[in-house]
Amino acid sequence: MTRRPGAQPDAGGPALRSAGARPIFLVGFMGAGKSTVGQALGNLLGWPFEDLDNRVEAREGRAIERIFAESGEPEFRRAEREALAELLAEADGSSRVVALGGGAFVQAENAALISQSGALVVFLDGTADELYERCRQGQPERPLRRSLEHFRQLYAARRPHYLKAALHVETGGKDIETVAAEVASKLGLR
Ligand code: S3P
């Protein structure tokens, strides 16, 4: 996905801001555009945006890559779960857009917490091969992006979890602003 040249998403007006006082969580595999679309969606709606991975890094004082390298995935998942619980407590049902890391919604405990919070969950989708390519081009380095074969297998194992989201949006061949506008429109927020 690319950013439309010169695109400046228009901010939502007051009516829009009060339209749906519940958080929107963007889920999907690595490279799906959860952070970039989330930022654009936040701008479009005039809602705050947060990336859960950034909260994990701030709480732990280490980059995700380092948490994986020094402490392993189980420790990352613990940190992720705690960061999510903290975020949900702070959000307390208020309007905001949250991008989750690719593995967060796959953890049953996290999915249950999100569902109990009443948040809207949106699955940003794409083919495994396209997502692999997007990750190759962009930042950050992803500890779980190994071979294409492994990437495809992990994607296939996780996809049924993402499909539990209330809304499913295809991202292939679309720019970031188009996907953000599609999410807002399908949620009746625009
Ligand atoms: C992960 C995805 C990453 C990050 C961590 C683990 C995963 O986030 O949370 O490297 O398990 O798929 P992105 O989906 O934003 O790359």
Side-chain angles (χ1 to χ4, degrees):
M1 260 187 308
T2 52
R3 191 173 296 285
R4 205 184 299 147
Q8 266 309 328
D10 39 340
L16 185 59
R17 271 193 278 280
S18 62
R22 61 204 281 214
I24 297 170
F25 278 75
L26 301 181
V27 306
F29 206 51
M30 290 170 268
K34 303 175 296 287
S35 304
T36 50
V37 170
Q39 184 74 62
L41 183 62
N43 289 340
L44 190 65
L45 300 176
W47 292 8
F49 166 74
E50 177 167 349
D51 189 317
L52 183 67
D53 279 344
N54 291 345
R55 185 180 286 249
V56 172
E57 291 186 333
R59 282 172 51 96
E60 301 299 314
R62 288 186 290 174
I64 305 278
E65 214 183 332
R66 269 191 57 205
I67 302 175
F68 268 84
E70 293 170 0
S71 312
E73 183 171 351
E75 174 61 12
F76 170 73
R77 295 297 166 205
R78 178 208 54 78
E80 184 178 54
R81 194 167 55 245
E82 288 184 11
L84 175 66
E86 181 184 75
L87 185 157
L88 285 168
E90 274 174 27
D92 194 25
S94 62
S95 310
R96 66 185 61 203
V97 180
V98 180
L100 294 187
F105 192 62
V106 173
Q107 315 298 317
E109 199 178 328
N110 294 343
L113 275 179
I114 292 167
S115 153
Q116 282 157 21
S117 78
L120 287 161
V121 182
V122 178
F123 170 28
L124 299 185
D125 202 5
T127 66
D129 289 36
E130 184 184 359
L131 301 180
Y132 188 79
E133 182 56 23
R134 278 192 211 154
C135 289
R136 192 180 65 79
Q137 292 166 354
Q139 287 294 321
E141 277 306 315
R142 290 161 164 100
L144 290 181
R145 180 185 173 276
R146 296 170 195 152
S147 67
L148 177 58
E149 197 46 43
H150 173 262
F151 196 85
R152 285 178 180 152
Q153 282 169 10
L154 190 58
Y155 172 82
R158 286 179 172 181
R159 202 159 179 280
H161 296 273
Y162 301 140
L163 285 169
K164 293 178 190 152
L167 181 64
H168 181 183
V169 174
E170 290 291 339
T171 64
K174 299 174 187 166
D175 61 41
I176 293 161
E177 287 75 19
T178 300
V179 177
E182 191 175 328
V183 172
S185 160
K186 286 187 166 161
L187 292 177
L189 292 167
R190 222 176 116 84

